[in-house]
Amino acid sequence: MTDTIEPTTAADGRPYHHGDLRHALIQAARAIIIRDGAQALSLRGVAREAGVSPAAPYHHFKDKQELVLAVGQLGFEELGIVMEQELAKCSDDPQERLTVIGVSYVLFARDNPALYRLMYDCARNMEALPPDVHEKDHSAYAIVRSAMIAAGLADPDDPVAIELATTAGWCAAHGVAEMGGFAQFDPLKTAVGGELNFYRELLKRTGAFSAR
Amino acid sequence: MTDTIEPTTAADGRPYHHGDLRHALIQAARAIIIRDGAQALSLRGVAREAGVSPAAPYHHFKDKQELVLAVGQLGFEELGIVMEQELAKCSDDPQERLTVIGVSYVLFARDNPALYRLMYDCARNMEALPPDVHEKDHSAYAIVRSAMIAAGLADPDDPVAIELATTAGWCAAHGVAEMGGFAQFDPLKTAVGGELNFYRELLKRTGAFSAR
DNA sequence: AGATAATCTTTACAGCGTTCACATAAAAAT
DNA sequence: ATTTTTATGTGAACGCTGTAAAGATTATCT
């Protein structure tokens, strides 16, 4: 009567081995961070949400920090995907494409503030830039860089200038992304005709995203 | 022989009442944050460093969060002081004064990364802008604003434009301040001739600090 | 089939934030 | 000056956390 169809079930119906616990833990952690903030994240809570004992995660991550790092890396991949999606819907005008990138970046941070904050914490002190500067060509960083070149903001033959322009743009977007969400700016947002206008205006003035 | 001159000493020589525990706790917390990072901050540790029982801080702060907030506010005051000091050593050229502000800001963040990060966390979700936008005229925000006006980056008669320019500059500086310290940029730093040049270049390209 | 490795559980420990009851000292009131 | 009130400290306790160690269970390899 109480039999279940699952493979090699225990008394309570759950198999002894989870199957893909590593992935489940990352997803659970991501959900908790987005729902309750990074400060509310506990390894035990993640294990609980995944229906597993408190010590189980240690077979997949050596640390709480290592789990957090995995969530952060996932976030950067998501960011890259979102950017590419928005670029696909966009015209071919290089300047407009740059703007779309900046706005996508800022909106991603606005929609997932805790996750974005955590992503930044992961990026800090990593060997490679988020996710990594030199290898993946569809990484968020690579997207920004090629858009910079396309818009004529950096000489394609000057590697240093390219990196500098890309970094400047990224820094500007980061600043707007993190601070733009502050409640203190609410009056200013309405004064300039809405949140989106506010972000566009900041990105424009923060000139790293437009030709001089 | 073992007598001490302190008022109403206990057996161990320390008076029962600390005298200015609130201040001592803030300083101890600040020291721990700067030395070991914000993640290493524990209320018990702060109490220990102040030579007081674990429950004592609760007579001065309702929360660990409230102590952290006090440290953050102190940080903003320090930042404002540093800016004014640097401005005092600077010429009267409005553009140069703006640059000095930006560089001071970024260097402050570079020298106190954990504290700066914590300051940002405090600024988020506060009613007033850090430390507060409208009242203190020697606040860091007010300094940036008046420098913006002086440099002709905002029409003095257009309040919205003023706030927009100030906010854009602040966002740009924030981005450079937080990301500029990343180890990933080390090769780029040397490529442009040193850290300071790197920051100056980023702030310049991030046009919020220079006339268009 | 048997051995080995991977995965999960149980148990345990020290440290954390916080609360409560109580001790002490300072300030205010009588 | 004594009493009362208030401010500020201590101590013990609770449930939570991250993490480690040892044992149970299942998958994989030979």
Side-chain angles (χ1 to χ4, degrees):
Chain A
M1 302 288 270
T2 58
D3 282 356
T4 61
I5 321 173
E6 304 173 13
T8 58
T9 69
D12 58 346
R14 260 184 20 260
Y16 190 88
H17 286 104
H18 181 284
D20 192 3
L21 183 55
R22 184 189 156 86
H23 182 252
L25 290 172
I26 293 178
Q27 289 302 327
R30 198 190 103 97
I32 291 176
I33 288 165
I34 290 179
R35 176 162 26 90
D36 308 319
Q39 227 180 356
L41 184 78
S42 78
L43 245 190
R44 293 178 103 105
V46 172
R48 226 175 289 136
E49 189 137 321
V52 95
S53 87
Y58 285 89
H59 290 274
H60 301 271
F61 306 93
K62 90 172 217 294
D63 243 355
K64 176 186 181 183
Q65 182 61 26
E66 205 171 276
L67 169 59
V68 168
L69 212 120
V71 175
Q73 283 175 325
L74 186 74
F76 274 111
E77 293 170 24
E78 290 179 64
L79 175 58
I81 292 173
V82 168
M83 278 184 179
E84 278 187 338
Q85 284 175 346
E86 294 300 316
L87 281 180
K89 291 189 275 178
C90 172
S91 87
D92 282 348
D93 176 46
Q95 179 55 52
E96 194 190 330
R97 291 179 76 81
L98 255 188
T99 302
V100 163
I101 287 176
V103 171
S104 301
Y105 188 94
V106 173
L107 291 187
F108 181 90
R110 182 203 58 177
D111 292 336
N112 315 284
L115 178 60
Y116 178 79
R117 192 102 176 108
L118 184 140
M119 284 162 57
Y120 167 86
D121 280 331
C122 292
R124 165 172 278 252
N125 296 332
M126 279 170 67
E127 270 83 356
L129 208 60
D132 35 17
V133 188
H134 303 98
E135 306 171 16
K136 295 191 169 186
D137 273 287
H138 61 286
S139 74
Y141 186 88
I143 292 173
V144 174
R145 179 173 45 197
S146 59
M148 283 283 172
I149 298 174
L153 286 190
D155 177 4
D157 298 326
D158 186 346
V160 171
I162 291 176
E163 297 304 320
L164 219 44
T166 308
T167 301
W170 197 289
C171 286
H174 174 71
V176 175
E178 280 209 322
M179 300 204 45
F182 279 18
Q184 295 94 330
F185 297 131
D186 284 351
L188 195 49
K189 279 175 194 165
T190 66
V192 298
E195 197 183 14
L196 235 160
N197 276 345
F198 179 65
Y199 292 136
R200 285 179 179 275
E201 190 63 36
L202 283 186
L203 285 173
K204 196 197 300 172
R205 288 172 184 259
T206 248
F209 272 117
S210 28
R212 309 305 299 270
Chain B
M1 302 287 271
T2 58
D3 280 356
T4 62
I5 321 172
E6 305 172 12
T8 59
T9 68
D12 58 346
R14 260 186 17 262
Y16 191 90
H17 285 104
H18 181 285
D20 193 2
L21 183 54
R22 184 190 156 86
H23 182 252
L25 290 172
I26 293 178
Q27 290 302 327
R30 198 189 104 96
I32 292 176
I33 288 166
I34 290 179
R35 174 160 28 90
D36 308 319
Q39 227 180 356
L41 183 79
S42 78
L43 205 47
R44 291 178 105 104
V46 172
R48 225 175 291 135
E49 190 137 321
V52 96
S53 87
Y58 285 89
H59 288 276
H60 301 271
F61 306 93
K62 89 172 218 294
D63 243 356
K64 176 186 181 182
Q65 181 61 28
E66 205 171 276
L67 169 59
V68 168
L69 213 119
V71 175
Q73 283 175 327
L74 186 74
F76 274 111
E77 292 170 24
E78 290 179 62
L79 174 59
I81 292 172
V82 168
M83 278 184 179
E84 278 187 338
Q85 284 175 346
E86 293 302 315
L87 281 179
K89 291 189 275 178
C90 170
S91 86
D92 282 350
D93 175 46
Q95 178 56 52
E96 193 190 330
R97 292 179 77 81
L98 254 189
T99 302
V100 163
I101 287 176
V103 172
S104 301
Y105 188 94
V106 172
L107 290 187
F108 182 90
R110 183 204 57 176
D111 291 337
N112 316 282
L115 177 60
Y116 178 78
R117 192 99 177 112
L118 184 139
M119 283 161 58
Y120 168 87
D121 280 330
C122 291
R124 164 171 279 249
N125 298 330
M126 278 172 68
E127 271 83 357
L129 208 61
D132 37 15
V133 188
H134 303 97
E135 305 171 15
K136 296 190 168 186
D137 273 284
H138 61 286
S139 74
Y141 187 88
I143 292 173
V144 174
R145 179 172 45 198
S146 60
M148 285 282 172
I149 297 174
L153 287 189
D155 178 4
D157 298 327
D158 186 345
V160 171
I162 293 175
E163 296 304 320
L164 220 44
T166 309
T167 302
W170 198 289
C171 286
H174 174 71
V176 175
E178 281 210 320
M179 301 204 44
F182 279 19
Q184 295 93 333
F185 297 130
D186 284 351
L188 194 50
K189 279 175 194 167
T190 67
V192 298
E195 197 183 15
L196 236 160
N197 276 345
F198 178 66
Y199 292 136
R200 284 179 180 274
E201 191 63 37
L202 284 186
L203 285 174
K204 196 197 298 173
R205 289 173 183 259
T206 246
F209 271 116
S210 30
R212 310 306 299 270

